[in-house]
């Protein structure tokens, strides 16, 4: 593995609680596997996977202050559902603290929770890898096995399944749904129906 990837992995080990670090490494290797499967950039996928949750444990008040200071726009949904903010703030830290200049990596961190319409390979990869990495369980993801298999066969269909599952889960639990996820679901529904 290249030295920069090893360095980021070590930094995440120091930064994150043990369980989140294990998930983070799971996402990085899942993303690397999908990159290999589709002939895409393995190193970029590893870096994005390792950094995707770097801002997960910033207390909400501090996260809001940091976003304001950095000029990051906060949507109504993000204001009410603080968990969503760690994507945007994570991308900001990836750039300012970990020296990532690649816009595609930064964007894949921003949208790893919500997804978005017309994602690049890397954006789809990190969104999906976060959903299906080996430590995830069937408890909140009833069709996880199907999505895992599909991810290696048809990335767009797997993204659609994961978005559909996520939105159904949020609805069942009366949780707020980000408009970006609704747009993403609509986009991939049309895309997969066209084959
Ligand atoms: Fe996350
Ligand atoms: Fe994650």
């Amino acid at each position: 593995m290249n030295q920069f990837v090893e360095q980021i992995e070590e930094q995440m080990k120091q930064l994150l609680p043990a369980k989140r670090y294990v998930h983070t490494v799971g996402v990085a290797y899942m993303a690397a596997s999908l990159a290999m499967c589709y002939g895409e950039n393995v190193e970029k996928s590893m870096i994005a996977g390792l950094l995707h949750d770097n801002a997960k444990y910033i207390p909400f008040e501090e996260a809001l202050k940091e976003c304001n200071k950095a000029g990051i726009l906060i949507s109504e949904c993000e204001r009410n559902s603080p968990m969503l903010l760690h994507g945007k703030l994570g991308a900001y830290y990836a750039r300012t603290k970990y020296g990532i200049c690649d816009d595609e990596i930064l964007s894949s961190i921003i949208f790893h929770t919500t997804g978005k319409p017309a994602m690049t390979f890397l954006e789809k990869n990190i969104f999906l890898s976060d959903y299906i990495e080996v430590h995830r369980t069937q408890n909140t993801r009833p069709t996880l096995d199907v999505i895992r298999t599909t991810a290696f066969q048809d990335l767009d269909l797997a993204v659609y399944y994961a978005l559909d599952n996520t939105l159904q889960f949020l609805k069942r639990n009366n949780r707020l749904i980000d408009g970006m996820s609704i747009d993403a679901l609509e986009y991939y529904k049309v895309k997969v129906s066209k084959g």
Side-chain angles (χ1 to χ4, degrees):
M1 207 192 320
N2 106 12
Q3 222 178 351
F4 184 66
V5 175
E6 275 179 24
Q7 184 191 315
I8 300 277
E9 187 172 333
E10 186 54 37
Q11 284 170 305
M12 291 306 107
K13 192 175 188 176
Q14 302 302 323
L15 178 78
L16 299 169
K19 206 174 164 201
R20 182 61 48 179
Y21 172 69
V22 167
H23 159 71
T24 288
V25 172
V27 173
Y29 281 97
M30 186 74 239
S33 305
L34 286 171
M36 287 172 194
C37 174
Y38 290 98
E40 296 280 348
N41 190 314
V42 173
E43 188 185 322
K44 271 170 70 160
S45 298
M46 289 279 298
I47 293 170
L50 285 170
L51 285 169
H52 83 285
D53 272 342
N54 82 79
K56 184 95 178 173
Y57 294 92
I58 310 292
F60 185 47
E61 286 304 315
E62 193 185 331
L64 281 178
K65 270 190 211 155
E66 287 281 273
C67 286
N68 284 333
K69 205 169 75 185
I72 298 170
L73 291 177
I74 302 167
S75 71
E76 201 49 41
C77 189
E78 287 164 339
R79 203 171 286 282
N80 292 311
S81 186
M83 193 274 288
L84 288 173
L85 261 191
H86 77 280
K88 284 180 178 173
L89 194 56
Y92 172 69
Y93 287 150
R95 185 162 54 80
T96 55
K97 289 187 177 180
Y98 303 101
I100 306 298
C101 307
D102 185 312
D103 285 339
E104 210 192 346
I105 294 180
L106 298 175
S107 178
S108 71
I109 297 173
I110 293 176
F111 295 105
H112 80 266
T113 307
T114 59
K116 76 180 187 71
M119 287 186 269
T120 63
F121 170 80
L122 191 59
E123 288 165 341
K124 286 187 271 198
N125 189 6
I126 300 306
F127 171 77
L128 259 184
S129 293
D130 189 35
Y131 196 85
I132 65 175
E133 62 94 5
V134 289
H135 305 96
R136 296 297 200 192
T137 64
Q138 300 272 136
N139 300 348
T140 55
R141 296 167 168 80
T143 56
L144 189 57
D145 288 348
V146 175
I147 302 176
R148 280 177 172 151
T149 307
T150 307
F152 288 90
Q153 298 162 343
D154 185 337
L155 209 56
D156 286 338
L157 186 58
V159 165
Y160 170 67
Y161 286 159
L163 281 164
D164 193 38
N165 267 11
T166 302
L167 266 62
Q168 281 184 33
F169 173 81
L170 293 172
K171 274 182 204 159
R172 269 200 310 277
N173 292 280
N174 292 320
R175 304 253 287 269
L176 282 173
I177 299 176
D178 193 289
M180 190 63 83
S181 295
I182 297 169
D183 293 348
L185 180 69
E186 247 341 279
Y187 177 90
Y188 283 98
K189 190 178 182 179
V190 171
K191 189 145 198 239
V192 299
S193 72
K194 285 179 180 164

